[in-house]
Amino acid sequence: MALVEIHNLRVRFETDEATIYAVNGIDLMVEPGQSIGIVGESGSGKSVSVTSIPRLLPRTARVEGSVYFNGKDMMRATASELQAIRGHQIGMIFQNPHAYLNPTRTIGKQLMEPLLFHHLAGVKRARAMGMEMLDRVGIVNPKARFDNYPFEFSGGMLQRVLIAMALITGPKLVIADEPTTALDVTVQAQILRLLKEMQRELGMSMIFVTHDLAVASQVSDVIYVMYGGIVVERLPAKQLIRVHRHPYLSGLLASLPRVDEPVGRLPFIPGLPVNTRQPLSGCPFYARCQWHLDQCQSAPPLTLVERDHEAACWLADERRVANGQPS
Amino acid sequence: MAQFIARRFLYMILAFVVISLVTYFLMKAAPGSFLAMNVGVNGASFGADQFQVSPQVMQSIINHYHLNAPWYVQWWGFVKGFVTLHMGTSFEYPNTPTLQLIEETFPVSLSLALISIAVGLAVAIPFGIIAAVRANSWVDSTTMFAAMTGTAIPSYIIAVFLILIFGVWTHLFPILGYQGAQYYVLPVLSLAIPMIGASSRYLRNSLIENLHSEYVTAIFARGGTLKDAVFGNALRNSLLPLITTIGPLLAGLMMGTVFIEEMFGLPGMGHIFVNAAGRRDYPLIMDSAMLYAVVIMIMNLLVDIIYGVLDPRIRRSGRMG
């Protein structure tokens, strides 16, 4: 049984001015111990999709579809059932650690919270576990750092604290929502290595959200590429460069700068991201796609093009297109 | 922290000098003098009549108070007298030293203002929390409607209502004079009610903002409940800015006590201050204005120090303001 099963998830935000169609029907599966990466540009609905697993979206969000975690129907779970799962079985790591920590509470007090909220340990035991966890995520001298405040830490150190906080209860799933985006490159590499190590060590599943293809392929087994609130391609991370099918993913890969080639003008995907204020009709990439057909006015389904590899493109069929270009 | 206090103290001295100068010149710019005013009202030489003295003696009084001296001598005389607590007597109360007048009346005004703030906050904080936690529900709108009404009605109108309800109809509390704690109830309520409105709205909005911030989402993500979010985290962060409003609030209340003391016949400093201004009682105007300025500045400094102690970002870094 899969740990996470999402089927036809749709999320929209209703405000007075407009309705935002953030997620337009996605399917997603995470096996125990598996690490999946969700890649997409801003506004593609990747964060919203994963935040709906522990049902942490704001009240304005209208969520439809089914979300199962560890066999539990999250859409029908009561507030106290959700509370029992959050922070205990699902750990979350956020993008900007400065914003996601209470500035007037010590690191240690916040670090102990998951244990105390779920009555997994008393204060004394929680304190010891917290220090041990800080040590494991590479905080030097955890004893002294325990009673420091967030503003006394650097961004990279805080992200380590956030990781410690998410993992302290030994969750079955950790959701990392762009955990390295706010960090500089060297720190980013350290954090990624740490996350990957901890994930293997504790045997957890991980959902890693990022806009960075390289990062996603480093830490995950399977990659979901999102565009316009749908999954346009799902493929094993190892095959990312070799066999991608969707023109959007091809465009993304082509626009990565390479250090081993002469410096020239970077290719980019022309056009603007999808307008999420209208319900999605047809292929979301239609307007920006150079290969688009009349057929693309109706939404292409996510179809299996080879083993473990799906793409949502009318041209994705192996006979007609390879690496996102018609043959 | 010590450096911060020292710097603030220098600012306070500067502000004190400016306030005393402005008060002095405004006072002098106002038409009429203590003597002339009384002449104007009661005919010819009332000033002399009142003191039962001849114009020659009046002249010696003028000399005594240096009323013919250059402005900076006069101003310095007032400031020096105030700072060294040798204020002498005023025109209006020639037989009571001003210092004694202040000692008798000022504690009444100050305690009235401080008790009102304490009562106001004690009521406003739970109101604000309930409204924020039940944001946009009927509880919230009822509380906030009551708060808005309270704020919109000036304290002296509220005082009339309170006198009517508790004094005239139910005889629960005395409405005039000062002979014990129960004489404080209605004046304190009159001052506190408008403040409760403003403060509970402030706390509500600040708490709602905190509850929608990312760190509270993170608390929910860790398995915290709304109670954990409010009492462990968000409330403290919302109370911090509320503390900073206490300084200006006190300034407003000190002025409010002027009416309230008058209405409830409390022997406070408010009516002395107002009368002094009306009668151009120069020494008393200067002394009371400087006293109010000093008290309000000290309160503001205390509030900032308390804020610094409560906010670890300031306490740990040692930098303030």
Side-chain angles (χ1 to χ4, degrees):
Chain A
M1 188 188 65
L3 184 65
V4 179
E5 265 189 84
I6 294 177
H7 185 62
N8 197 21
L9 177 74
R10 288 166 189 277
V11 184
R12 57 179 201 278
F13 294 91
E14 276 165 14
T15 62
D16 291 341
E17 300 100 54
T19 300
I20 309 288
Y21 296 86
V23 180
N24 301 305
I26 64 159
D27 293 337
L28 190 141
M29 254 221 268
V30 186
E31 300 293 336
Q34 194 183 34
S35 166
I36 73 156
I38 302 183
V39 188
E41 59 194 74
S42 327
S44 60
K46 52 196 193 309
S47 284
V48 173
S49 305
V50 296
T51 315
S52 54
I53 299 171
R55 302 298 312 277
L56 275 171
L57 291 173
R59 278 187 201 164
T60 49
R62 298 279 163 271
V63 187
E64 287 162 17
S66 67
V67 178
Y68 283 86
F69 171 77
N70 202 22
K72 174 113 207 133
D73 183 352
M74 299 296 273
M75 300 295 288
R76 291 199 177 77
T78 63
S80 63
E81 283 173 332
L82 288 174
Q83 191 237 322
I85 291 173
R86 293 171 187 154
H88 186 186
Q89 295 180 43
I90 302 180
M92 281 207 74
I93 303 165
F94 299 96
Q95 179 178 149
N96 179 357
H98 272 290
Y100 282 94
L101 285 167
N102 181 353
T104 62
R105 217 166 142 78
T106 60
I107 292 293
K109 275 190 181 152
Q110 299 190 62
L111 180 58
M112 295 191 299
E113 275 177 352
L115 296 170
L116 301 178
F117 288 162
H118 297 289
H119 308 290
L120 300 175
V123 176
K124 229 176 147 180
R125 174 101 187 87
R127 210 180 149 82
M129 285 171 79
M131 299 224 194
E132 195 192 310
M133 205 65 199
L134 283 183
D135 190 44
R136 279 179 78 178
V137 297
I139 302 283
V140 183
N141 197 359
K143 213 170 200 142
R145 299 299 252 162
F146 198 78
D147 293 316
N148 280 17
Y149 288 90
F151 71 90
E152 295 169 302
F153 279 66
S154 68
M157 285 291 156
L158 275 190
Q159 197 55 282
R160 286 171 191 268
V161 171
L162 231 57
I163 291 172
M165 218 173 271
L167 305 186
I168 196 165
T169 54
K172 290 191 170 72
L173 171 71
V174 60
I175 298 174
D177 187 359
E178 306 217 28
T180 57
T181 306
L183 306 175
D184 61 58
V185 181
T186 43
V187 181
Q188 177 175 334
Q190 295 167 7
I191 297 288
L192 288 178
R193 202 173 311 129
L194 173 70
L195 253 180
K196 197 65 198 158
E197 266 172 34
M198 300 289 284
Q199 188 231 339
R200 284 213 192 97
E201 217 173 294
L202 300 171
M204 326 170 285
S205 302
M206 177 160 76
I207 300 180
F208 194 97
V209 177
T210 178
H211 61 260
D212 190 328
L213 274 173
V215 166
S217 63
Q218 264 175 50
V219 294
S220 26
D221 308 321
V222 178
I223 288 179
Y224 286 71
V225 181
M226 284 190 72
Y227 186 82
I230 63 163
V231 173
V232 293
E233 189 153 5
R234 176 181 74 89
L235 74 173
K238 288 193 203 79
Q239 296 182 20
L240 182 68
I241 310 291
R242 208 164 45 80
V243 296
H244 53 275
R245 290 302 172 88
H246 199 279
Y248 173 61
L249 182 53
S250 315
L252 274 189
L253 287 165
S255 57
L256 288 178
R258 296 188 57 128
V259 286
D260 55 354
E261 275 176 9
V263 180
R265 207 187 152 89
L266 269 181
F268 61 97
I269 307 175
L272 294 169
V274 178
N275 178 8
T276 53
R277 294 190 169 217
Q278 287 156 5
L280 191 66
S281 73
C283 173
F285 196 57
Y286 177 77
R288 296 170 84 181
C289 181
Q290 49 180 323
W291 321 109
H292 66 83
L293 311 164
D294 292 344
Q295 213 178 344
C296 302
Q297 303 276 10
S298 65
L302 200 60
T303 44
L304 205 65
V305 289
E306 61 183 326
R307 208 171 155 252
D308 295 329
H309 186 176
E310 291 175 308
C313 179
W314 293 117
L315 287 165
D317 195 311
E318 204 175 358
R319 278 153 297 164
R320 295 174 67 183
V321 67
N323 287 355
Q325 293 172 17
S327 50
Chain B
M1 183 70 104
Q3 200 194 349
F4 162 77
I5 294 171
R7 206 173 62 220
R8 275 294 293 268
F9 199 72
L10 287 176
Y11 281 136
M12 278 169 64
I13 292 173
L14 192 68
F16 177 76
V17 170
V18 172
I19 289 166
S20 62
L21 277 172
V22 169
T23 312
Y24 178 81
F25 283 113
L26 282 178
M27 175 176 92
K28 285 286 181 177
S33 70
F34 183 72
L35 301 174
M37 290 282 283
N38 291 309
V39 171
V41 175
N42 294 300
S45 53
F46 175 78
D49 281 353
Q50 197 195 30
F51 291 106
Q52 303 285 312
V53 288
S54 64
Q56 285 75 21
V57 178
M58 281 313 296
Q59 190 56 47
S60 75
I61 290 176
I62 286 172
N63 290 338
H64 177 74
Y65 286 106
H66 305 290
L67 294 181
N68 290 332
W71 68 266
Y72 50 87
V73 175
Q74 291 193 41
W75 168 76
W76 178 244
F78 287 131
V79 171
K80 193 179 158 200
F82 179 80
V83 172
T84 58
L85 299 179
H86 290 97
M87 301 171 204
T89 58
S90 71
F91 301 162
E92 179 84 12
Y93 305 94
N95 301 320
T96 317
T98 303
L99 193 61
Q100 190 193 332
L101 207 61
I102 289 172
E103 275 170 2
E104 281 168 6
T105 57
F106 187 66
V108 176
S109 299
L110 188 66
S111 59
L112 189 58
L114 291 180
I115 293 172
S116 301
I117 287 183
V119 169
L121 286 181
V123 179
I125 291 172
F127 269 32
I129 295 173
I130 292 168
V133 169
R134 298 264 169 266
N136 303 321
S137 70
W138 66 269
V139 185
D140 180 26
S141 20
T142 314
T143 317
M144 284 306 114
F145 179 74
M148 202 174 67
T149 316
T151 319
I153 304 174
S155 53
Y156 49 89
I157 305 284
I158 288 177
V160 174
F161 277 113
L162 291 176
I163 289 173
L164 200 61
I165 296 167
F166 293 105
V168 179
W169 292 347
T170 59
H171 300 282
L172 278 175
F173 295 108
I175 55 167
L176 199 66
Y178 181 71
Q179 280 156 36
Q182 75 270 28
Y183 286 81
Y184 258 22
V185 175
L186 296 187
V188 162
L189 282 180
S190 320
L191 287 171
I193 286 172
M195 194 201 117
I196 290 169
S199 297
S200 57
R201 275 185 79 85
Y202 188 93
L203 180 64
R204 168 195 179 265
N205 294 343
S206 159
L207 190 55
I208 287 178
E209 199 186 311
N210 267 287
L211 286 175
H212 282 115
S213 66
E214 283 132 337
Y215 77 83
V216 169
T217 306
I219 291 165
F220 291 135
R222 274 175 243 145
T225 57
L226 186 61
K227 211 173 112 193
D228 296 318
V230 171
F231 292 103
N233 294 273
L235 182 60
R236 180 199 168 106
N237 294 348
S238 318
L239 284 177
L240 277 172
L242 187 68
I243 288 173
T244 58
T245 65
I246 291 177
L249 212 59
L250 181 82
L253 277 181
M254 296 292 280
M255 295 302 114
T257 56
V258 171
F259 297 107
I260 295 302
E261 281 167 16
E262 203 89 350
M263 295 189 76
F264 290 96
L266 286 177
M269 211 180 142
H271 73 273
I272 292 179
F273 194 175
V274 172
N275 287 346
R279 301 209 178 155
R280 308 289 184 269
D281 186 345
Y282 293 156
L284 201 51
I285 293 175
M286 284 303 290
D287 289 329
S288 41
M290 289 187 287
L291 180 67
Y292 274 65
V294 167
V295 168
I296 287 166
M297 285 193 296
I298 289 176
M299 273 302 286
N300 272 323
L301 179 66
L302 285 179
V303 162
D304 283 357
I305 291 172
I306 292 170
Y307 186 90
V309 170
L310 292 181
D311 190 332
R313 284 163 293 190
I314 295 170
R315 182 177 71 230
R316 289 284 185 108
S317 64
R319 274 180 283 121
M320 285 177 90

